[in-house]
């Protein structure tokens, strides 16, 4: 396994997060936050239900300076909820089968309030609340509080760095395996195995896009046999100790052509330009602009077909996004990918990706493997 694990989060850590979220909700004009099982609930309380069912589980977090958070849970799951690290920082209120969970929840809510609600809340639960409290209104957390989890604390940064180091160790091993004559699916399985060996508890994606498949940024791994002369885009990541990794490197089977070298060099320069644009106060879109300008100036602008980056934390894709139109300023502690690419239809693609965190005076990469052209067998 790669690296050491930082000290676990405590009830005080989760209490501080809930208090910060409650203050942020008040600043946004919300009456409170309603959080169903998913990444927001994990981040706020440390609780993950053993199984996601149709039974309502919901954190009710009133807005303001002194919130009194309540976790509404089915009675049969209350013992597990009580064991969550953040449980001492909240009140548990259970409900039994045959009772109305929406009535129990409604008693905790302002009947005329506007609430932020987690994106992955089941529609049946939102509709149940609306029926019980027709005077309420709701906004998704991505819309209402998009930066809720964006700024990481010191422990979160350690966890993200450890996940990045594990992904780096995976790349250092995969670059030494034989590619020629093997199916994309075989290399993808090897990537997943290595990520787990280096401490990942879950693998979210292992993109292996060889030859013309590399021109599809989200290529689904298939049975194509990798050939000499192929460019191969490798994009992989998952969760280690609850925090994400995500890195991309593009390797070449045997000696590349001059054009392939040139395209790779342009993407490498663009990735560096995006990284160099990272500093506090800079709008997110400037990272995208910096990377995109390099590719456009080289004549490949129409072949860079996605945003330059996405945030990462307890999920591998979350705000902030490095994309044109995102004017929010970068803040120390934000973590996101910088991953420009060039995709030439029917021929090949190149992508280079690091996770970067904003520091007090610039940025720091959480991936340190070579960004030069790597030749594989």
């Amino acid at each position: 396994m790669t690296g050491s694990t930082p000290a676990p989060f405590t009830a005080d850590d989760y209490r501080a997060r809930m208090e910060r979220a409650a203050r942020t909700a008040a600043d946004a004009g919300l009456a409170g936050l309603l959080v169903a099982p998913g990444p927001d609930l994990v981040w706020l309380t440390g609780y993950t239900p053993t199984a996601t069912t149709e039974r309502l589980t919901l954190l009710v977090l009133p807005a303001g300076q002194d919130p009194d958070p309540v976790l509404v849970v089915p009675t049969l799951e209350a013992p597990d909820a009580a064991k969550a690290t953040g449980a001492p920082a909240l009140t548990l209120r259970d409900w039994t089968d045959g009772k109305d969970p929406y009535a129990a929840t409604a008693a905790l809510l302002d009947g005329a309030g506007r609430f932020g609600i987690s994106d992955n809340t089941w529609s049946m639960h939102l509709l149940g609340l609306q029926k019980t409290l027709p005077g309420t209104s709701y906004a998704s957390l991505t819309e209402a509080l998009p930066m809720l989890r964006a700024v990481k604390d010191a422990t979160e940064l350690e966890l993200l760095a450890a996940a990045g180091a594990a992904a780096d160790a995976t790349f250092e091993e995969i670059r030494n395996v034989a590619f020629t004559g093997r199916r994309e699916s075989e290399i993808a399985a090897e990537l997943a195995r290595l990520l787990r060996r280096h401490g990942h508890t879950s693998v979210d994606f292992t993109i292996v896009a060889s030859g013309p498949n590399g021109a599809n940024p989200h290529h689904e791994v298939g049975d194509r046999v990798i050939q000499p002369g192929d460019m191969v885009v490798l994009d992989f990541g998952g969760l280690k100790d609850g925090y994400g990794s995500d890195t991309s490197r593009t390797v070449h089977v045997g000696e590349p052509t001059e054009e392939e070298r040139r395209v790779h060099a342009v993407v490498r320069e663009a990735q560096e330009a995006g990284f160099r644009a990272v500093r506090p106060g800079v709008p997110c879109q400037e990272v995208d602009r910096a990377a995109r300008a390099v590719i456009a100036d080289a004549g490949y602008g129409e072949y860079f077909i996605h945003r330059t980056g996405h945030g990462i934390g307890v999920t591998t894709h979350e705000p902030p996004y490095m994309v044109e139109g995102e004017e929010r300023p970068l803040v120390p502690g934000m973590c996101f990918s910088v991953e420009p690419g060039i995709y030439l239809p029917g021929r090949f693609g190149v992508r280079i990706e690091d996770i970067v965190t904003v520091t007090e005076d610039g940025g720091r990469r959480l991936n340190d493997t070579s960004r030069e052209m790597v030749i594989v067998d």
Side-chain angles (χ1 to χ4, degrees):
M1 293 178 63
T2 302
S4 58
T5 302
F9 296 117
T10 67
D12 286 340
D13 292 324
Y14 292 114
R15 180 179 289 106
R17 288 179 185 178
M18 285 189 279
E19 290 174 349
R20 175 157 65 90
R23 293 193 299 271
T24 305
D27 292 341
L30 298 172
L33 304 181
L34 305 177
V35 184
D40 292 313
L41 187 64
V42 173
W43 186 78
L44 286 165
T45 70
Y47 177 52
T48 302
T50 53
T52 301
T53 72
E54 74 284 357
R55 294 182 175 93
L56 178 71
T57 294
L58 198 69
L59 173 68
V60 178
L61 182 60
Q65 293 295 320
D66 297 302
D68 183 16
V70 176
L71 184 61
V72 178
V73 294
T75 300
L76 75 169
E77 295 176 11
D80 288 333
K83 296 175 185 176
T85 305
L90 49 79
T91 299
L92 288 178
R93 180 167 298 182
D94 65 315
W95 62 275
T96 58
D97 286 351
K99 302 295 184 181
D100 184 350
Y102 307 114
T105 305
L108 305 170
L109 305 181
D110 175 355
R114 179 170 176 79
F115 296 88
I117 190 163
S118 55
D119 295 9
N120 54 332
T121 304
W122 286 17
S123 59
M124 64 179 284
H125 296 320
L126 175 56
L127 293 169
L129 289 171
Q130 288 178 317
K131 182 178 180 180
T132 304
L133 291 175
T136 54
S137 60
Y138 303 86
S140 72
L141 286 187
T142 291
E143 173 193 340
L145 299 179
M147 297 294 110
L148 179 63
R149 306 194 315 256
V151 178
K152 275 62 180 179
D153 63 26
T155 300
E156 289 181 293
L157 291 175
E158 285 187 65
L159 288 163
L160 283 162
D168 283 357
T170 294
F171 177 72
E172 293 296 355
E173 291 196 49
I174 203 71
R175 63 181 289 182
N176 292 315
V177 308
F179 278 66
T180 303
R182 300 179 69 187
R183 299 182 189 278
E184 291 176 343
S185 56
E186 294 179 71
I187 301 298
E190 185 75 358
L191 280 170
R193 184 186 69 81
L194 290 170
L195 283 170
R196 290 191 175 95
R197 197 177 88 187
H198 289 290
H200 280 63
T201 53
S202 66
V203 176
D204 286 359
F205 48 89
T206 52
I207 295 173
V208 179
S210 63
N213 290 340
N216 177 359
H218 282 173
H219 169 64
E220 290 286 341
V221 167
D223 289 331
R224 183 182 186 276
V225 176
I226 299 171
Q227 304 291 330
D230 278 350
M231 195 83 87
V232 185
V233 179
L234 304 173
D235 184 351
F236 51 94
L239 296 180
K240 179 181 186 295
D241 298 314
Y243 280 76
S245 69
D246 186 359
T247 188
S248 300
R249 293 293 185 264
T250 303
V251 302
H252 196 278
V253 184
E255 285 300 314
T257 65
E258 285 303 311
E259 181 189 23
E260 289 170 332
R261 286 188 181 278
R262 181 171 66 254
V263 171
H264 191 281
V266 170
V267 175
R268 187 180 72 246
E269 183 183 349
Q271 209 270 346
E272 179 68 18
F275 169 69
R276 294 298 176 193
V278 175
R279 60 186 183 278
V282 170
C284 292
Q285 68 182 6
E286 292 301 326
V287 177
D288 182 84
R289 288 175 175 179
R292 200 167 298 278
V294 172
I295 292 175
D297 288 349
Y300 294 100
E302 66 183 293
Y303 302 112
F304 180 12
I305 56 177
H306 56 73
R307 65 195 175 204
T308 293
H310 58 82
I312 191 169
V314 293
T315 59
T316 49
H317 287 75
E318 61 186 46
Y321 297 103
M322 305 303 111
V323 65
E324 182 67 29
E326 180 51 86
E327 298 181 348
R328 288 185 180 85
L330 298 178
V331 175
M334 284 182 173
C335 291
F336 48 84
S337 65
V338 177
E339 51 175 308
I342 293 174
Y343 308 94
L344 302 178
R347 302 182 62 205
F348 65 89
V350 176
R351 182 164 64 257
I352 300 172
E353 173 186 16
D354 293 326
I355 298 302
V356 173
T357 182
V358 184
T359 64
E360 294 297 331
D361 57 2
R364 176 169 67 95
R365 298 182 193 269
L366 300 187
N367 295 106
D368 294 317
T369 56
S370 175
R371 284 166 285 278
E372 301 293 327
M373 173 77 80
V374 171
I375 309 298
V376 297
D377 294 329

